Amino acid sequence: MENELFDLLEAKNQMIYRIIDLSKYENEWLEVQKIANELSLNERSIQRYIHYLEEITEEFNASSKNTVEITYSKFKGLRLESNPGTINELKTFIIYSDETVKLLIEMCLIKTKTTKQYSEENFISMYSVKKSLDKISLLLAKFNLSINRSNLSFCGEEKNIRVFTYMFLWAVFKNDSWPFSYISEDKILQSVDIFFEEAGIQTTKIHKKQMLFMSAVCLMRNKKKYFIESHENWDDYVNIGALRNDSFISQEINNYQVYNDNEIYFILLVVQMQYRMFKSDTIKERILLYHEKKQTDVYRLTEAVMKNFQEEFFEIPEERKDVFFTYCFCAHLYCKVFPGIEFDINGQNIKNGKNFSNNLIFRLENFIEAIDFQTDILQEKVFLSKIYAAIFSHFKSPNSYDPRIIIGIDSEFPFLVRENLKVNLKRKFSDTFNLSVVESESGVEDILVTTMPSLYDSREHVCTIDYPLKERDYLFLEAELNKLQDSLNEHSIQQVS
């Protein structure tokens, strides 16, 4: 969701946000010329953005207990001085000072009235509000949602509204203060602590805070009388009768006065979608045994995927089959409850991820199409292919099906320097490419790394280096590898097709 949040920002806020990010990688001064090159702008424009950043930083320092010291010199450049935590606070300040983000926060927290009232109370023109709503609509479409522009509310299924609200508010406020003004953070924290303790789950502070946010979103919308609709099969996924007899569950129902069964189904389904919950043998057994007893489509599909995967790709080690099954189960349940949504339960845009090779994704999409199982879950082919790719890469290299690229080295370096260079190149690129690094004696290499390019004037894919390699050497070599891999992959996929 962070990338989508960035896209909502006004252009000037995007620029100063990126300038802050660039400054993190500089120990001293960040030169204006370097900023201009990175952002593809002229130096005069960069100077204007730096002056705007100075104004924002001054506002931030006036309202925060921590401060950021900003220094700008025409000849030296820009320097930001503070601890990393405060720099993140400054970035958050920029985000929710943005007009579009501010409006969406109000909508998520159900604080808006009519469009006209919002415009007048915030001294914003109706045109600016409309412009913000246009950008928000593009994001909401990824959750199958839209906007009622007369009263600035969300339109669509309540379950989708809740998962969007959670992901967005988490992205904005996870490093900031509690945004739910009329819901007690301490009270929910106490409930979450008891839940994890009774379930026997050791969890991190971040995971605990995520559960706080999701619980708060559900309570907030329930109290405002936005209720979860009834959905087919949910009673097969959650044993609500047995859970009502659980002392903790019944106590929490009374504490929060959430008596609607659909609300309870939804909260418990979201719990089932999170792999970390299956670290508790008690919870895992309770969930999976009930799905097995009911022979749900989620459970039976997971069995089919596990069986077919081993026949198509490789045998999963016995001691790791539990990981495979539960991870797939969570993904299948998520696709069933939230079809057509591009984001996983943690707010990561799965469909736009570029972490896996085209060859692997192509094979996994074909694998999904070949599964002989009737369920609407399999319609989420793009989403599931990325999930299965993540599982695949847990056991094997994600580049297993990529054509091998041979890097040849021809240099006057001593033997051990050449050997170290081979190791460094493998270490740097083996997660992204299917590589072999050799001496260029045989002449079979696809890419040549050399200190004497004059000997190879007629060759393609020649990278000139010195040792030790600098960052620009790695960047140049990576660009050549990408070009070559794209060409080889296209040919490979055409052959398979």
Side-chain angles (χ1 to χ4, degrees):
M1 182 61 78
E2 278 77 7
N3 290 336
E4 287 72 22
L5 184 57
F6 179 82
D7 290 341
L8 289 176
L9 301 178
E10 294 178 50
K12 63 179 181 179
N13 287 333
Q14 288 184 353
M15 288 302 174
I16 63 171
Y17 194 96
R18 291 182 66 187
I19 290 170
I20 292 171
D21 271 343
L22 287 173
S23 71
K24 290 192 304 186
Y25 301 104
E26 299 294 324
N27 294 325
E28 293 295 331
W29 293 92
L30 176 61
E31 295 177 358
V32 172
Q33 180 62 55
K34 182 172 182 178
I35 302 173
N37 291 340
E38 290 286 342
L39 303 188
S40 301
L41 294 170
N42 60 49
E43 292 190 30
R44 177 165 289 187
S45 296
I46 297 301
Q47 288 167 358
R48 284 201 302 270
Y49 286 125
I50 289 174
H51 291 316
Y52 176 55
L53 176 58
E54 287 176 319
E55 293 173 15
I56 290 289
T57 304
E58 188 176 337
E59 290 176 25
F60 169 77
N61 289 341
S63 63
S64 174
K65 61 182 180 181
N66 300 315
T67 59
V68 175
E69 185 178 335
I70 182 168
T71 310
Y72 170 60
S73 166
K74 185 175 180 180
F75 299 104
K76 288 185 176 180
L78 174 73
R79 182 168 65 182
L80 293 178
E81 292 181 279
S82 188
N83 62 62
T86 304
I87 294 293
N88 280 332
E89 288 174 19
L90 173 61
K91 289 167 70 176
T92 303
F93 182 82
I94 291 166
I95 287 171
Y96 61 68
S97 297
D98 185 90
E99 292 298 341
T100 301
V101 174
K102 223 188 294 189
L103 171 57
L104 187 48
I105 290 171
E106 294 281 291
M107 292 171 67
C108 286
L109 295 174
I110 322 177
K111 291 183 177 180
T112 51
K113 299 174 185 176
T114 66
T115 307
K116 185 177 180 183
Q117 284 174 314
Y118 184 83
S119 170
E120 291 171 351
E121 289 175 5
N122 292 276
F123 307 102
I124 305 169
S125 71
M126 289 288 285
Y127 172 77
S128 294
V129 176
K130 179 183 179 301
K131 196 174 168 185
S132 291
L133 290 175
D134 288 341
K135 288 205 281 187
I136 292 169
S137 293
L138 293 174
L139 175 57
L140 289 176
K142 297 179 180 180
F143 291 81
N144 299 322
L145 299 173
S146 58
I147 301 172
N148 181 331
R149 297 197 177 214
S150 61
N151 63 8
L152 297 179
S153 62
F154 300 126
C155 298
E157 289 191 83
E158 178 61 23
K159 60 185 177 66
N160 290 6
I161 294 173
R162 291 195 188 186
V163 80
F164 167 75
T165 302
Y166 157 70
M167 290 178 188
F168 176 74
L169 292 179
W170 173 260
V172 176
F173 290 102
K174 63 185 177 184
N175 283 313
D176 204 64
S177 55
W178 182 250
F180 308 97
S181 55
Y182 50 89
I183 294 176
S184 169
E185 182 180 10
D186 291 337
K187 185 179 178 183
I188 300 181
L189 178 58
Q190 186 178 18
S191 299
V192 169
D193 280 339
I194 293 171
F195 168 77
F196 281 123
E197 184 180 340
E198 293 207 353
I201 298 175
Q202 295 292 322
T203 190
T204 67
K205 291 181 179 180
I206 290 176
H207 293 156
K208 190 182 294 184
K209 192 168 184 177
Q210 284 178 312
M211 195 162 179
L212 290 182
F213 266 63
M214 178 58 88
S215 301
V217 167
C218 291
L219 286 170
M220 173 186 70
R221 293 196 62 85
N222 180 266
K223 297 304 179 189
K224 290 286 186 177
K225 303 191 183 307
Y226 294 101
F227 301 121
I228 291 286
E229 310 91 338
S230 177
H231 285 271
E232 183 186 5
N233 296 334
W234 280 15
D235 56 338
D236 286 339
Y237 300 153
V238 178
N239 189 355
I240 203 165
L243 288 166
R244 281 190 178 280
N245 295 325
D246 187 299
S247 59
F248 170 73
I249 298 293
S250 60
Q251 180 182 326
E252 293 307 296
I253 289 171
N254 291 325
N255 280 345
Y256 296 107
Q257 299 179 323
V258 178
Y259 301 112
N260 184 294
D261 280 357
N262 293 331
E263 296 288 330
I264 300 166
Y265 279 133
F266 179 75
I267 292 169
L268 294 174
L269 281 171
V270 171
V271 167
Q272 290 187 33
M273 294 170 196
Q274 302 185 57
Y275 175 76
R276 63 178 174 271
M277 296 299 177
F278 288 81
K279 290 195 292 184
S280 163
D281 290 335
T282 304
I283 289 181
K284 179 169 63 179
E285 187 175 341
R286 176 182 287 185
I287 292 170
L288 295 182
L289 282 178
Y290 189 70
H291 277 263
E292 183 180 19
K293 177 184 174 183
K294 290 287 187 177
Q295 282 295 287
T296 64
D297 52 352
V298 174
Y299 188 87
R300 288 183 295 115
L301 174 62
T302 306
E303 287 186 313
V305 166
M306 187 166 180
K307 175 178 177 292
N308 292 8
F309 188 94
Q310 292 182 96
E311 291 173 356
E312 177 71 21
F313 296 106
F314 53 82
E315 185 72 22
I316 302 160
E318 193 64 37
E319 68 276 10
R320 305 301 288 164
K321 285 183 177 178
D322 182 58
V323 172
F324 186 103
F325 191 91
T326 50
Y327 201 89
C328 278
F329 175 87
C330 294
H332 295 154
L333 182 61
Y334 183 84
C335 288
K336 181 69 177 183
V337 177
F338 298 113
I341 291 181
E342 298 182 9
F343 299 78
D344 68 11
I345 192 65
N346 296 309
Q348 300 298 314
N349 192 324
I350 290 286
K351 291 188 177 181
N352 289 344
K354 304 293 184 184
N355 300 329
F356 305 108
S357 78
N358 293 337
N359 267 307
L360 178 58
I361 295 299
F362 177 76
R363 286 174 180 268
L364 287 168
E365 287 181 348
N366 286 343
F367 165 74
I368 292 167
E369 288 178 357
I371 296 173
D372 185 16
F373 192 93
Q374 295 300 313
T375 175
D376 50 356
I377 298 172
L378 291 175
Q379 293 175 13
E380 307 298 314
K381 185 173 70 171
V382 177
F383 185 97
L384 287 175
S385 66
K386 299 294 177 67
I387 295 293
Y388 296 161
I391 297 171
F392 184 102
S393 63
H394 180 71
F395 296 98
K396 275 195 170 188
S397 168
N399 308 308
S400 299
Y401 295 104
D402 284 347
R404 182 168 288 272
I405 297 176
I406 301 173
I407 296 179
I409 298 175
D410 187 10
S411 75
E412 73 274 28
F413 298 144
F415 168 73
L416 287 180
V417 172
R418 295 198 306 275
E419 290 300 303
N420 286 338
L421 181 56
K422 289 179 189 178
V423 171
N424 290 342
L425 291 175
K426 283 283 286 184
R427 186 184 295 127
K428 180 72 175 178
F429 296 116
S430 60
D431 287 342
T432 313
F433 305 98
N434 186 4
L435 283 187
S436 176
V437 186
V438 299
E439 299 281 348
S440 67
E441 296 164 353
S442 61
V444 298
E445 65 274 351
D446 301 296
I447 290 181
L448 184 74
V449 173
T450 182
T451 52
M452 298 179 64
S454 59
L455 298 177
Y456 297 96
D457 287 340
S458 60
R459 283 283 301 269
E460 272 191 296
H461 305 299
V462 175
C463 298
T464 307
I465 61 156
D466 200 353
Y467 193 83
L469 269 66
K470 307 291 190 299
E471 187 60 30
R472 64 177 177 272
D473 296 319
Y474 285 118
L475 290 172
F476 180 65
L477 182 52
E478 184 175 20
E480 289 298 308
L481 285 165
N482 275 317
K483 283 192 288 187
L484 184 57
Q485 179 162 279
D486 287 345
S487 173
L488 292 172
N489 278 347
E490 185 178 348
H491 179 67
S492 174
I493 290 173
Q494 285 173 353
Q495 282 187 321
V496 174
S497 299

